[in-house]
Amino acid sequence: SSAYAAFYMVLDRMRKIVNTDFGSGKLVLIGGIQINMPHGSMDDHFLPLVFEVHQSGAESEDLLDNFSDISTQQDLKLCPWQGKTSLREVFSFMTWSPPSNYPAYQAMHKYFPGALPSQALHERKRSILKKYGFTKQNTLMATSLCPDEINHDPSDLPVIMQNHWGDVFPMGGISGAPFVGKTGFKAFSSHVPEDGNIIILFGPHVGISPDGEVGACMRHGQGKMSTACGAVVGAYKAALSGATDPEGSDAYDKQMDWIVSKIAPHAKAIEQTANPMAALSHTSYNIVRDKMFKIVNNDFGSGWLCLVGCIQINMPDPLEDHFYPCTFELRKAGEETIDLLHELKEFN
């Protein structure tokens, strides 16, 4: 109660000193109580109590309701099954995820249950790795993602991670497979700071259209849908048609030849599923993961190797991309692998 009393004392003083005599612009007052959480483990929180817009000659606007959403205020002890729904509604409230009535939202959580918005996944992962000593100064980052331009918007996870961790070593080719191979990883890992760590984000991508069609996306400046991932879908169609033989050493298409050869053994089974494009995405992830596991090692030093494997989900504009976490583990020379994937899953 003393915190509330202190807030209203501050609010009263604030109202007495501010005005809108400075011009025709708006004065926005955001007031609340900052809650200092335990240091080193949790970020501070903020309880909003005032959100007002004032303008000379106009009625003041009270916007505090924008900081609340009664649909998320559920008693999880009485309704534990509401936990996942509440979390997703919070993401929607933050404008990170689409509303639950969007077809793209429904398709995403049907075929990629537990997919997370980029910012939420980054913050969760960052807080976990902090406990293991990962810092900007001692960590080197790499990605193995499809170079498709739709995967690198400013709000996408690889860009957010690069802004946090620093320079990035790109390992991936079309499909997201790490075509740099063992030689590329050896070169990259030789750049790690002394006793430092490595973090690698890897995986394929898949589009979802506004109507909820998996494997489709509307690209900027185009008037019709296209496939995503185009290379993986093309390889799948080639495999179904029986065109699995490389065209020859002069074809200059070695990456595509490799993808076709890896998809081909699974093509018929994928075709029989309820949603072949979703099944294709999960199969593609396994292919990329297996290749990644074959080329990485801990020979670079005494630090951690963190592998973050996801399926990137390209959502229709203006929605932000999501990521379906499939792998989150820590490796260190001479120690057992630590599987942290459960830390990225929605609570239940």
Side-chain angles (χ1 to χ4, degrees):
S1 61
S2 61
Y4 283 93
F7 168 76
Y8 287 110
M9 178 182 67
V10 173
L11 177 62
D12 179 66
R13 176 64 63 177
M14 179 62 69
R15 292 194 188 283
K16 289 179 179 177
I17 67 171
V18 300
N19 59 61
T20 54
D21 297 341
F22 55 85
S24 60
K26 293 181 173 64
L27 168 67
V28 179
L29 295 179
I30 302 175
I33 299 173
Q34 183 170 352
I35 304 169
N36 306 123
M37 302 298 287
H39 286 293
S41 60
M42 300 180 183
D43 292 337
D44 281 1
H45 284 53
F46 193 87
L47 174 64
L49 297 173
V50 169
F51 185 19
E52 300 173 349
V53 178
H54 302 269
Q55 188 173 25
S56 179
E59 290 289 329
S60 297
E61 294 182 76
D62 186 348
L63 302 177
L64 187 59
D65 284 346
N66 288 276
F67 280 134
S68 63
D69 184 347
I70 60 172
S71 67
T72 67
Q73 309 304 312
Q74 302 172 33
D75 188 339
L76 299 183
K77 292 182 179 180
L78 298 178
C79 305
W81 58 86
Q82 294 288 358
K84 292 181 180 179
T85 302
S86 296
L87 184 61
R88 295 172 187 175
E89 286 175 347
V90 170
F91 293 152
S92 179
F93 167 70
M94 297 294 293
T95 70
W96 293 345
S97 291
S100 59
N101 62 344
Y102 274 40
Y105 170 99
Q106 295 164 358
M108 177 175 68
H109 285 297
K110 179 177 181 179
Y111 298 109
F112 308 95
L116 298 169
S118 297
Q119 190 65 47
L121 181 55
H122 169 68
E123 291 298 333
R124 177 64 176 164
K125 173 172 50 60
R126 179 193 60 79
S127 66
I128 294 169
L129 294 180
K130 185 177 180 181
K131 301 174 184 177
Y132 292 90
F134 281 71
T135 68
K136 299 178 183 179
Q137 292 73 32
N138 69 10
T139 302
L140 193 61
M141 178 182 166
T143 60
S144 188
L145 306 166
C146 182
D148 194 322
E149 70 279 358
I150 63 176
N151 295 331
H152 300 89
D153 287 342
S155 61
D156 286 345
L157 183 60
V159 178
I160 293 174
M161 289 180 62
Q162 180 174 0
N163 290 339
H164 177 79
W165 297 108
D167 293 339
V168 170
F169 187 98
M171 301 173 64
I174 55 174
S175 80
F179 287 109
V180 298
K182 293 182 178 181
T183 299
F185 178 78
K186 183 177 181 180
F188 159 66
S189 60
S190 69
H191 306 160
V192 71
E194 186 174 348
D195 300 321
N197 309 301
I198 287 175
I199 181 170
I200 302 177
L201 174 67
F202 67 92
H205 72 111
V206 61
I208 297 182
S209 75
D211 294 331
E213 180 185 355
V214 179
C217 72
M218 180 69 76
R219 298 177 184 274
H220 296 299
Q222 295 189 351
K224 61 181 180 179
M225 294 290 170
S226 62
T227 56
C229 172
V232 171
V233 173
Y236 167 66
K237 291 181 177 179
L240 285 179
S241 69
T244 58
D245 294 328
E247 297 179 27
S249 59
D250 59 343
Y252 297 101
D253 209 7
K254 296 300 184 184
Q255 291 188 15
M256 189 62 173
D257 292 341
W258 183 88
I259 299 169
V260 172
S261 71
K262 295 298 181 181
I263 293 291
H266 310 282
K268 291 298 183 181
I270 292 172
E271 187 182 28
Q272 301 303 313
T273 62
N275 191 308
M277 290 297 101
L280 178 62
S281 302
H282 289 280
T283 300
S284 299
Y285 173 78
N286 293 336
I287 292 170
V288 173
R289 177 202 60 202
D290 291 349
K291 186 171 181 65
M292 177 63 69
F293 283 8
K294 288 178 181 178
I295 70 172
V296 299
N297 59 62
N298 288 93
D299 298 340
F300 57 87
S302 60
W304 292 104
L305 168 63
C306 177
L307 297 175
V308 183
C310 304
I311 298 175
Q312 182 170 355
I313 304 167
N314 308 121
M315 300 293 284
D317 283 340
L319 305 175
E320 296 185 7
D321 284 2
H322 282 54
F323 285 76
Y324 176 67
C326 303
T327 298
F328 184 31
E329 61 183 46
L330 292 177
R331 301 182 181 187
K332 181 179 282 192
E335 297 189 15
E336 291 289 327
T337 297
I338 302 175
D339 187 350
L340 296 171
L341 183 59
H342 64 281
E343 297 279 3
L344 299 182
K345 296 294 187 179
E346 294 174 316
F347 62 84
N348 48 45

